[in-house]
Amino acid sequence: MVMDSLVSLPTSHCHSPLFTSKPHSSSATTTSTSVSFSLSPPPQPPEPNIRRPKSINSSPKHKISSNPLKNFSTTTPTPTPTPTTSTTNNNFSHAPSPGETTRTTQSLVSKLRLSSKLFPPPPPPPLLHDTRKATQISEPEAPSPELEKPENFRQHGKIFIGNLPSWIKKHEVAEFFRQFGPIKDVIVIKAHNEIHRNAGFGFVIYGGPPPVAEKSAVKAVEFDGVEFHGRVLTVKLDDGTRLKGKAEERARWVEGYQGQDLSNKSKWHQEREGSRRLFRKVLDSEPENWQKVVIAFERIDKPSRREFGLMVNYYARRGDMHRARETFERMRSRGIEPTSHVYTNLVHAYAVGRDMEEALSCVRKMKEEGIEITLVTYSILVRGFAKIGNSEAADYWFEEAKERHTPLNAIIYGNIVYAHCQTCNMERAEALVREMEEEGIDAPIDIYHTMMDGYTMIGNEEKCLIVFERLKECGFTPSIISYGCLINLYAKIGKVSKALEVSKMMESAGIKHNMKTYSMLINGYLKLKDWANAFAIFEDLVKDGLKPDVVLYNNIIQAFCGMGNMDRAIHTVKEMQKERHRPTTRTFMPIIHGFARAGEMRRALEVFDMMRRSGCIPTVHTFNALILGLTEKRQMEKAVEILDEMTLAGITPNEHTYTTIMHGYASLGDTGKAFEYFSKLRNEGLELDVYTYEALLKACCKSGRMQSALVVTKEMAAQNIPRNTFVYNILIDGWARRGDVWEAADLIQQMKQEGVQPDIHTYTSFINACCKAGDMLRATKSIQEMDAIGIKPNVKTYTTLIHGWARASLPEKALKCFEEMKLAGLKPDKAVYHCLMTSLLSRATVAEAYIYSGVLSVCREMIVSGLTVDMGTAVHWSRCLRKIERSGGELTEALQKTFPPDWNSYHTIAAKSDPETDDEPESDDEDNDVYLDNVTDGDNDLDDEDLNRLW
C-alpha cells in the first residue's frame, strides 16, 4: 500500500496541479484536521483538609485494585469513601455507623448489578497473622465440608492449557483448538489484579456426545508442547482440581469465611495526578510498548474524559476495535459523556478493523445524541469504505461531507481517490483530482502515489509514467514509494528487465532498496519461473543487511518448491523459525502441494503435522492439497478420511474439495460415487462450475456410460455453462474408447461451430477413435489437418498412430511413423518403444526380413537409452521370441538386455514350473492399451491455473 495513515496524511506540499498545466500559487494553503488531544495537565485542585477513616490493616505492599467497583460487598462492615465524596463534602470527621454503612453498601450493590456481573469480586485476600488468630479463637468449631476426590470432579472432553500468553483472548484459543473437534466452551482464567489479562492458563471443553468429546480431547492432548503465539503450550486432560477448588471456595463462602479488602488509600489526589502524568508520558514516549501503556492507564484510579479519550485514540491507531469499544463503554458506565473526538476515534478503530457496520452504528448514535460529525469523521468513513472496496458507500459519505463542510481538504480527497483506484475506476479518480484542483486544493505527493498504484492495477504503463513525470515537474522529489510503484508495475506486467532499470535509477538517486521493493522484484521473477534470478535478488537483500520477513520467506519457499527442491524448502522453514518469524499456512502450502503432486503422501502428512505443531491452523486449502495428492494416487479411502477429519475440525469443504474427490472417483470409473459427491456439492449450496461438470463427464466416459454423459451436457446447457475445449476432449475420448468415430467427428464439428478451437488433445483423441475403428486413412488425414492449422503432433499422438498401424497389421507403417517422430525432434518414451516392439514381435514370424532389422535397431536404441521393461512385458516378449527363435539367437540376445536384472532367476523358476507356455493365447492389443488409456489424460495434471484454484 502506498498511502500513509489517515491522520498523518499531509495536505499541502504540491506546488502544481496533477492533471492540469496551470501555474502554482504559492499562497494557497490547506489546513488539515487531525484527531488529537491536549496533553497539558489541568490545574491541580487544592488538597482538601479532611480526615479519612483509618484502615484496620495498612500493609504497604498491598496494591490498590485496578477496578474500584469489585471490592464492594454486602457484608463489608467498614465503609470505603469514594473519591467523589472526598471532593464534595468536607464534613467527614466522624465515622459512619454500621447501619449507615450497610445501607450505603446495599444501595451501591443494587445500582452496580451489571458491573458485578461483568466484574465479579476476586477471591478474598488472606488476612494478616493477628486477624487470623482472632478468627481462629472466636470461631474454632467452623465446620469444613467434606468434598469428593478431584477425579470425581473431572469432566469428559475437558483439557487444561497452560503457558498461555497473558494477552490472549477466548476466541483465539477456540480458533486454534477447534481443529480437533467441536468446542462447547472455553474458560480463560483472569489475573487477580488485572482482570483484562489472563493468568496464563485455561480450559477447553469439547462438545458433542461424551465419546466424541473425549476423543477430541485426547487428540488435542497429543499436541502437548505445540507453539502458540510464541509460547510452548502445556496441554493435558483436566484432573478436576479446579472444580474441586471452586466447590471448596463456595462452601467456605456459604459458611462466612470470605475476606475483606481493607487497603489504605492515603493521599488519593496526589497519587491520581501522578498516575495521570505517568500515563501521558508513556503514551508520548513509548507508544509501541502497548503493555506499558495499558498498565499505566490501569494505574489511574479514576480516569477522566481526557484519559479515556487518549486510550480510545491509542487503540484506534493500533486497529484494536474491541479494546477501543471496551474502553469507550467503561467511560460511559462511569457517567462520562463522550465528545465528538472520542466518537471519531472509536469510528477510526472500527474503520481500521474493517468493521464498517459498527462504524456506521457509531455515526448514527452521534446523530441521535446531537453530536457534530466533523470533517475528520467523514474522512475516516471514506477511508474505511475504500479499504473494503466499497466505492459507492465512500462516494455517499463524501457527498454528504461536501454538503455539510465547505471547503474540503486534501485528506478526504485523497481518501476518495484511493477508494476509486482500489476498484480500478480510474476515470472517476481522474475527475476527482481535477475537481480538487479546481477548488484550489493542491495535491500532495500521496495522491500521486495513489494514482500510480491505480494504474498499476489495470496495467496502464503509459499513464503511470505520465503521473511519475508530472510528480517531478511539480517539484516533488521521487521517494522510495514513487520508484516502488514503477517497480511493482513492471513486475506485474512481466517486464522485470525494466523493473531492474528503475531499480538502478533509484540507487543512482541515493535511495536504497527496502523489503517491499526487493519483494516486488522477487515476485516478478517468480511469475516468470526464473528461480535463479529470484535467488540472486534474495542474496542482494541479505548483503544489504536487511532481514527477510515472513512474506519474503514465503516467496523463497515457493521458489524452492517450484524447482522441486523440497528439502531446501523445509530447511528454509526451520531457518525462518530460528529468526523468530512465525510461519503461516501459506508457508507450508507450497511444500504440502509439492509433495502431494509428487505422490510422496507420507512426507506431505509429515509437513502437515509440522504445520500444526508450529501453531498454524489448517485451512481448507491445506486439506485440499492433501486430498489432491491422495486422489492422484487413487487412494480414495484415505481421501475420504481426510474429508471427515476436515469436517470434524470445523472447516467447511468448498467447491474444489468436492470436485477433487469427484475427479478421483472418475479416474476409477466409479460413476455412483462421483454423482454422490456432486449431489452433496449441490445440496450445500456451493457453486457449480465447469470443473464440477468435467469431473462428472470424466466418470461417465471412463465407465462407458455415454448416454449419462449426454444428460450431463444438457444440464450444463440448462445452467448456462458453456462447454470448453476440455469438456469436448473428455466427450471425444469417451466415444474413442468405444471406437465410435462418427460421434467423435460430429463433436469436432460442433466445436468449430461454437467457436471452440480444437487442441492437440482433441486431435489425439480423435485419432485414437479412428485407430480403434480401423479407419487409418481418416487418422492420416487428421495429422495433415493438424499441420495445416499449425498444431504439431506430440509423442502421445505418434504413440496412438503407431498403435493404430500395429492393430491394422502393418508393422512397416508403424516403423515409418516411428522414424517420422524422430525426424520431428521428439524423443520416444517407454510407451512408444513398448507399443512398437510388441507389434513388431507379434508379426515377426510372418513378416519379411526387414522387420528383423527394424526390431534390432529399436532394441539397440532402447539399450542406448537405458530403458528396462517390467517383468510382465519381459514375459510376453520372451514368448514371442521363442516362436521366432526356438533355440535363441541374435534377436533374443539383444532383446534380453532390456529385461529386468532378475529376469534370469525368474525365467529359470518359470521354466521349471511351466515348461510348455508357447501355446498360450496372445493379447498384445490389450497389453498396449495399458499404455494408451491415458493418451488424452495428460492434460489432467494441475498447471498454474489449477494451482490458483487450489488457493
Side-chain angles (χ1 to χ4, degrees):
M1 183 186 298
V2 298
M3 297 289 293
D4 290 331
S5 63
L6 170 69
V7 179
S8 62
L9 185 64
T11 59
S12 59
H13 296 285
C14 178
H15 303 287
S16 181
L18 179 56
F19 290 105
T20 60
S21 58
K22 67 178 182 179
H24 164 67
S25 176
S26 60
S27 62
T29 58
T30 305
T31 305
S32 63
T33 305
S34 61
V35 182
S36 61
F37 299 92
S38 175
L39 300 181
S40 58
Q44 185 172 350
E47 175 70 19
N49 187 14
I50 61 174
R51 250 185 64 191
R52 304 180 185 274
K54 295 184 180 181
S55 61
I56 297 176
N57 182 11
S58 59
S59 175
K61 296 183 180 180
H62 185 73
K63 295 183 179 180
I64 300 175
S65 173
S66 60
N67 185 3
L69 304 179
K70 70 180 182 180
N71 293 325
F72 286 110
S73 173
T74 57
T75 58
T76 305
T78 306
T80 303
T82 60
T84 305
T85 307
S86 64
T87 57
T88 58
N89 190 1
N90 295 331
N91 190 14
F92 277 114
S93 58
H94 69 281
S97 63
E100 293 175 353
T101 303
T102 306
R103 285 194 298 271
T104 304
T105 308
Q106 289 177 350
S107 63
L108 283 173
V109 171
S110 63
K111 292 179 181 178
L112 300 175
R113 291 180 62 187
L114 179 60
S115 298
S116 63
K117 296 293 183 183
L118 295 176
F119 306 104
L127 300 178
L128 290 183
H129 182 68
D130 297 337
T131 308
R132 286 200 304 269
K133 281 186 177 180
T135 305
Q136 292 174 1
I137 295 172
S138 59
E139 298 175 353
E141 66 278 0
S144 173
E146 295 182 3
L147 299 174
E148 299 176 9
K149 296 181 179 180
E151 292 80 11
N152 299 331
F153 287 90
R154 187 179 176 278
Q155 184 177 354
H156 291 287
K158 185 176 180 182
I159 60 172
F160 167 83
I161 308 164
N163 200 27
L164 282 171
S166 59
W167 49 266
I168 210 70
K169 295 298 180 184
K170 291 174 64 173
H171 70 89
E172 295 173 309
V173 178
E175 183 182 7
F176 179 77
F177 284 92
R178 178 64 180 85
Q179 59 182 305
F180 306 110
I183 291 178
K184 179 181 178 181
D185 193 14
V186 176
I187 302 172
V188 177
I189 307 302
K190 297 294 184 181
H192 176 67
N193 294 326
E194 301 177 4
I195 61 174
H196 300 293
R197 302 169 67 84
N198 63 71
F201 66 96
F203 303 86
V204 173
I205 304 173
Y206 285 98
V212 176
E214 191 67 11
K215 183 178 179 182
S216 301
V218 171
K219 188 183 295 184
V221 170
E222 292 177 0
F223 284 81
D224 181 23
V226 66
E227 183 179 357
F228 181 67
H229 290 283
R231 293 286 190 92
V232 178
L233 297 184
T234 300
V235 184
K236 59 183 180 180
L237 291 175
D238 178 44
D239 57 0
T241 304
R242 179 175 177 270
L243 290 180
K244 179 176 179 295
K246 289 184 68 175
E248 292 176 347
E249 181 182 353
R250 189 180 301 112
R252 289 195 303 269
W253 184 274
V254 171
E255 295 297 330
Y257 285 96
Q258 63 274 24
Q260 301 176 3
D261 185 9
L262 303 175
S263 56
N264 186 17
K265 296 181 179 179
S266 60
K267 299 181 180 180
W268 182 84
H269 282 92
Q270 291 87 343
E271 293 178 358
R272 177 172 178 265
E273 187 61 32
S275 59
R276 293 172 67 183
R277 290 176 181 175
L278 178 63
F279 168 66
R280 291 194 292 269
K281 180 180 178 181
V282 172
L283 198 62
D284 292 336
S285 60
E286 300 180 68
E288 69 282 350
N289 191 347
W290 67 271
Q291 294 178 335
K292 196 169 184 179
V293 172
V294 173
I295 292 174
F297 176 74
E298 293 296 336
R299 285 178 178 172
I300 302 176
D301 196 13
K302 186 182 177 184
S304 64
R305 180 186 289 109
R306 178 184 299 176
E307 282 77 36
F308 278 113
L310 289 174
M311 203 61 198
V312 173
N313 183 26
Y314 176 74
Y315 283 130
R317 286 185 279 115
R318 291 178 58 87
D320 194 342
M321 54 186 179
H322 301 296
R323 287 192 172 92
R325 185 74 190 197
E326 179 187 7
T327 306
F328 180 84
E329 293 300 333
R330 284 179 59 187
M331 181 186 70
R332 300 200 72 166
S333 67
R334 290 174 179 261
I336 303 174
E337 293 299 326
T339 61
S340 177
H341 293 289
V342 181
Y343 262 119
T344 300
N345 286 326
L346 185 60
V347 172
H348 187 204
Y350 283 118
V352 174
R354 305 194 175 189
D355 190 350
M356 296 309 297
E357 291 296 329
E358 288 294 332
L360 291 180
S361 69
C362 293
V363 174
R364 288 192 293 268
K365 194 70 174 175
M366 291 175 70
K367 291 181 178 180
E368 292 174 3
E369 297 178 3
I371 298 176
E372 179 190 4
I373 303 177
T374 64
L375 184 60
V376 177
T377 312
Y378 282 113
S379 184
I380 290 172
L381 288 173
V382 172
R383 179 73 174 184
F385 282 112
K387 284 186 176 181
I388 64 175
N390 192 346
S391 58
E392 295 179 359
D395 265 332
Y396 172 81
W397 291 102
F398 177 75
E399 294 298 329
E400 185 174 317
K402 286 173 66 177
E403 295 175 359
R404 298 194 176 189
H405 298 277
T406 54
L408 302 180
N409 57 21
I411 297 177
I412 193 169
Y413 269 109
N415 291 334
I416 191 64
V417 169
Y418 173 74
H420 289 287
C421 288
Q422 289 298 302
T423 57
C424 300
N425 188 1
M426 298 308 297
E427 294 180 1
R428 173 65 176 157
E430 293 171 1
L432 286 167
V433 173
R434 284 193 294 269
E435 177 185 323
M436 180 182 67
E437 292 174 343
E438 289 172 359
E439 294 185 3
I441 302 174
D442 294 332
I445 191 173
D446 295 290
I447 291 185
Y448 287 87
H449 294 158
T450 303
M451 297 296 292
M452 292 177 68
D453 189 49
Y455 289 126
T456 299
M457 290 182 181
I458 64 175
N460 194 332
E461 178 184 359
E462 180 183 358
K463 286 196 173 182
C464 188
L465 291 174
I466 290 174
V467 176
F468 181 74
E469 294 299 327
R470 188 63 179 161
L471 180 149
K472 293 190 289 186
E473 292 174 2
C474 290
F476 289 111
T477 302
S479 64
I480 190 169
I481 300 177
S482 312
Y483 289 110
C485 289
L486 289 180
I487 293 173
N488 191 29
L489 167 70
Y490 288 123
K492 284 189 173 182
I493 64 178
K495 298 181 179 180
V496 188
S497 58
K498 286 192 174 182
L500 289 176
E501 293 177 5
V502 175
S503 172
K504 293 178 181 178
M505 186 193 311
M506 182 180 73
E507 291 175 350
S508 63
I511 301 175
K512 293 184 179 181
H513 280 279
N514 62 9
M515 196 67 66
K516 290 186 177 180
T517 54
Y518 275 125
S519 297
M520 293 171 187
L521 291 173
I522 292 175
N523 285 332
Y525 282 119
L526 291 180
K527 225 172 196 180
L528 301 176
K529 297 185 178 180
D530 190 347
W531 319 118
N533 281 320
F535 289 127
I537 297 295
F538 181 74
E539 291 175 357
D540 292 341
L541 180 148
V542 176
K543 288 180 182 177
D544 286 352
L546 297 176
K547 292 186 177 181
D549 56 3
V550 175
V551 176
L552 197 58
Y553 271 118
N554 290 349
N555 291 335
I556 294 300
I557 290 170
Q558 183 182 350
F560 280 126
C561 294
M563 295 175 61
N565 193 344
M566 310 303 296
D567 293 333
R568 187 67 185 276
I570 295 176
H571 180 70
T572 306
V573 174
K574 295 178 180 178
E575 286 184 357
M576 180 179 177
Q577 292 173 330
K578 287 181 181 178
E579 295 294 330
R580 308 296 295 174
H581 290 295
R582 184 184 176 190
T584 63
T585 53
R586 293 191 71 93
T587 307
F588 295 96
M589 184 64 193
I591 306 175
I592 295 174
H593 183 253
F595 281 130
R597 289 193 65 181
E600 299 184 27
M601 288 309 302
R602 183 183 60 81
R603 300 199 65 184
L605 291 172
E606 288 177 357
V607 176
F608 183 78
D609 189 57
M610 176 183 176
M611 181 189 70
R612 278 182 160 180
R613 291 190 173 277
S614 299
C616 298
I617 302 174
T619 63
V620 64
H621 310 295
T622 317
F623 282 105
N624 285 349
L626 289 175
I627 293 173
L628 173 65
L630 291 169
T631 53
E632 287 182 350
K633 286 295 182 180
R634 301 188 178 185
Q635 300 178 11
M636 298 308 300
E637 293 182 0
K638 291 186 178 180
V640 173
E641 289 178 3
I642 295 293
L643 181 63
D644 295 338
E645 183 178 348
M646 180 179 178
T647 307
L648 184 64
I651 299 175
T652 304
N654 60 7
E655 297 90 346
H656 187 71
T657 310
Y658 288 116
T659 304
T660 305
I661 292 180
M662 289 169 62
H663 273 290
Y665 282 117
S667 61
L668 298 175
D670 193 339
T671 313
K673 286 289 187 180
F675 273 95
E676 177 185 340
Y677 281 96
F678 175 79
S679 300
K680 285 185 179 181
L681 190 151
R682 183 167 53 185
N683 294 337
E684 291 182 10
L686 299 176
E687 182 182 0
L688 300 175
D689 55 7
V690 66
Y691 302 103
T692 310
Y693 285 104
E694 284 172 4
L696 277 184
L697 290 172
K698 183 179 176 182
C700 295
C701 295
K702 190 85 172 180
S703 60
R705 299 176 58 179
M706 298 308 299
Q707 297 302 320
S708 299
L710 293 177
V711 174
V712 173
T713 56
K714 290 180 181 179
E715 185 177 344
M716 289 180 64
Q719 296 287 340
N720 293 325
I721 298 177
R723 290 185 283 185
N724 57 15
T725 305
F726 191 71
V727 171
Y728 276 110
N729 291 346
I730 294 174
L731 292 172
I732 292 171
D733 183 59
W735 290 114
R737 291 174 185 273
R738 300 179 61 170
D740 196 334
V741 67
W742 300 105
E743 290 287 349
D746 184 55
L747 284 171
I748 290 182
Q749 293 301 321
Q750 289 183 28
M751 288 182 70
K752 295 177 180 178
Q753 291 174 3
E754 294 180 6
V756 182
Q757 295 298 324
D759 58 3
I760 182 64
H761 304 294
T762 310
Y763 282 106
T764 302
S765 297
F766 182 69
I767 291 171
N768 187 30
C770 296
C771 293
K772 287 197 173 182
D775 193 351
M776 297 306 298
L777 180 61
R778 181 173 287 189
T780 306
K781 288 182 179 180
S782 298
I783 294 290
Q784 296 172 357
E785 184 181 345
M786 290 172 62
D787 293 335
I789 62 177
I791 299 177
K792 295 182 179 181
N794 58 13
V795 175
K796 291 183 178 180
T797 310
Y798 279 112
T799 305
T800 306
L801 201 57
I802 290 171
H803 185 232
W805 289 119
R807 290 171 66 97
S809 300
L810 293 172
E812 63 278 2
K813 293 284 188 179
L815 275 174
K816 182 180 178 182
C817 186
F818 179 72
E819 296 299 330
E820 289 176 358
M821 181 181 67
K822 292 192 292 184
L823 291 175
L826 298 174
K827 184 179 180 181
D829 58 4
K830 192 173 182 179
V832 176
Y833 284 118
H834 180 279
C835 184
L836 182 61
M837 185 63 71
T838 303
S839 62
L840 292 177
L841 289 175
S842 61
R843 272 79 180 178
T845 55
V846 294
E848 298 179 3
Y850 74 91
I851 297 296
Y852 286 93
S853 61
V855 172
L856 287 173
S857 65
V858 172
C859 187
R860 293 191 189 99
E861 289 183 18
M862 291 179 66
I863 295 171
V864 172
S865 301
L867 295 177
T868 303
V869 298
D870 57 89
M871 188 61 69
T873 304
V875 171
H876 180 68
W877 286 0
S878 66
R879 293 171 182 170
C880 296
L881 285 172
R882 284 199 292 272
K883 293 181 180 180
I884 301 170
E885 298 176 344
R886 290 282 180 178
S887 59
E890 181 183 5
L891 189 60
T892 303
E893 183 181 352
L895 199 59
Q896 284 184 351
K897 293 181 180 179
T898 64
F899 288 178
D902 55 345
W903 163 253
N904 291 328
S905 59
Y906 176 86
H907 178 64
T908 303
I909 296 172
K912 290 181 179 180
S913 60
D914 192 5
E916 296 180 1
T917 57
D918 295 341
D919 296 333
E920 294 182 4
E922 299 176 1
S923 58
D924 58 296
D925 289 339
E926 294 180 1
D927 197 23
N928 287 334
D929 284 341
V930 174
Y931 288 86
L932 294 169
D933 276 342
N934 297 323
V935 163
T936 58
D937 292 344
D939 52 352
N940 293 342
D941 296 336
L942 268 79
D943 53 9
D944 290 337
E945 182 181 354
D946 295 323
L947 183 57
N948 292 332
R949 285 175 53 226
L950 188 64
W951 281 102

